[in-house]
């Protein structure tokens, strides 16, 4: 007879666990239509939504895929996701933040991020990008609690890397069109190509790995004052070279780009000067 209260207590405990289980047991949620993040019918039916997710809405423990040909509005996302795969379109029409955990962000060919407001998409699990993103206002932020990897071939407007002393390493071909920023360190790995089309105010840039290339492709840019392996200056306007002392590979200058502010520096490889602009060395 003494066992009955214990059995009842166990059943109550298990019932409580099942109600709370959405934050413990991850499920996979894939968009089945276009709509807001917090609408069940974006992820299934108006009644059930994503089966297994609390309330039918993806949460912070879930792996989320935005399917091709669907548009998910991210502005009312309450809890983010463990991982986010974008095959369709993630859209910000309000200036809100969506957080992605250690599963990271994957943007496949055909995927896109849109939005005319200053939305933010964060990740603690790295970034794989194989698409050219449309939005010029949404920022992807890598919160470098641990070292992260950037891979693939793609472009985005704004990339911020936060976390002093922690590194995100680019192993693919990454184009940042408007602003590269943050308190962290971006390392261009040996297989990495980094194209910077706008400003670069990141706290630390490491670009000395044998074989890597950094290209400044915009207008009148300031080149980060670090050592490089291959360095390319293209686009137009003067590239301010103050603080550049060693280029371990090639220096290539094209378009109408010129150099300014340069003191003595060493080029260990080839000097390829194809610019129609004149530079005095």
């Amino acid at each position: 007879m003494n066992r009955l209260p214990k059995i009842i207590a166990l059943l109550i405990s298990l019932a409580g666990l099942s109600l709370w289980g959405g934050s413990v047991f991850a499920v996979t949620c894939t968009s089945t239509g276009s709509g807001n993040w917090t609408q069940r019918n974006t992820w299934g039916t108006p009644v059930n939504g994503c089966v297994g997710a609390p309330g039918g809405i993806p949460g912070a423990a879930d792996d989320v895929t935005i399917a091709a040909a669907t548009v998910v509005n991210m502005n009312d996302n309450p809890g983010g996701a463990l991982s986010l795969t974008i095959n369709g379109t993630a859209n910000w029409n309000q200036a809100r933040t969506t957080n992605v955990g250690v599963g990271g962000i994957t943007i496949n060919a055909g995927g896109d991020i849109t939005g005319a407001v200053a939305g933010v998409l964060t990740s603690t699990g790295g970034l794989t990008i194989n698409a050219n993103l449309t939005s010029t206002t949404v920022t992807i932020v890598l919160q470098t609690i641990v070292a992260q990897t950037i891979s693939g071939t793609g472009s985005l407007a704004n990339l911020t890397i936060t976390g002093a002393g922690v590194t995100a390493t680019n192993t693919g071909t990454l184009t940042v069109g408007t602003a590269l920023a943050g308190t962290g360190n971006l390392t261009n790995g040996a297989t990495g190509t980094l194209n910077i089309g706008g400003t670069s105010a990141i706290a630390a840039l490491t670009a000395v790995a044998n074989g890597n290339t950094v290209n400044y492709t915009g207008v009148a840019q300031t080149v980060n004052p670090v050592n490089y392996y291959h360095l390319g200056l293209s686009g137009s306007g003067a590239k301010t070279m103050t603080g550049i002392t060693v280029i371990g590979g090639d220096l290539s200058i094209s378009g109408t780009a010129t150099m300014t502010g340069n003191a003595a520096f060493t080029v260990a490889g080839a000097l390829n000067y194809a610019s129609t602009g004149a530079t005095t060395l």
Side-chain angles (χ1 to χ4, degrees):
M1 293 182 64
N2 292 334
R3 295 176 58 192
L4 185 58
K6 294 181 180 179
I7 292 173
I8 292 173
L10 177 60
L11 291 174
I12 292 173
S13 176
L14 290 174
L17 180 61
S18 68
L19 291 174
W20 186 62
S23 61
V24 177
F25 303 105
V27 297
T28 299
C29 296
T30 300
S31 60
T32 56
S34 299
N36 294 331
W37 184 282
T38 51
Q39 291 177 321
R40 288 190 182 95
N41 58 337
T42 302
W43 311 102
T45 67
V47 175
N48 295 322
C50 179
V51 177
I57 307 301
D62 301 326
D63 297 308
V64 177
T65 296
I66 298 176
T70 64
V71 179
V72 176
N73 295 318
M74 311 294 285
N75 51 282
D76 59 355
N77 180 333
L82 181 66
S83 69
L84 177 63
T85 299
I86 301 175
N87 298 324
T89 300
N91 179 65
W92 273 260
N93 52 28
Q94 293 185 30
R96 302 288 180 84
T97 297
T98 295
N99 297 309
V100 177
V102 295
I105 300 166
T106 299
I107 306 171
N108 291 319
D112 198 5
I113 287 178
T114 61
V117 296
V120 177
L121 177 62
T122 77
S123 172
T124 58
L127 170 66
T128 298
I129 178 170
N130 284 301
N132 298 318
L133 306 185
T134 302
S135 176
T136 59
T137 57
V138 176
T139 300
I140 292 181
V141 178
L142 299 185
Q143 298 176 323
T144 50
I145 299 173
V146 296
Q148 297 192 48
T149 299
I150 304 170
S151 61
T153 299
S155 65
L156 72 167
N158 305 300
L159 177 65
T160 296
I161 299 171
T162 64
V166 186
T167 297
T169 300
N170 174 43
T171 62
T173 299
L174 175 68
T175 299
V176 182
T178 302
L180 175 63
T183 60
N185 175 45
L186 175 59
T187 292
N188 213 30
T191 60
T193 296
L194 174 63
N195 302 313
I196 302 173
T199 60
S200 179
I202 193 163
L205 174 65
T206 303
V208 294
N210 192 318
N212 92 93
T213 301
V214 178
N215 296 310
Y216 290 82
T217 63
V219 178
Q221 295 169 284
T222 297
V223 178
N224 287 59
V226 299
N227 294 335
Y228 293 88
Y229 192 74
H230 294 315
L231 175 62
L233 308 176
S234 62
S236 62
K239 314 295 184 181
T240 301
M241 295 280 286
T242 306
I244 312 300
T245 58
V246 175
I247 299 169
D250 301 341
L251 171 61
S252 301
I253 307 167
S254 61
T256 59
T258 60
M259 292 185 292
T260 186
N262 44 281
F265 60 85
T266 300
V267 179
L271 171 62
N272 303 307
Y273 202 99
S275 173
T276 58
T279 292
T280 300
L281 294 177

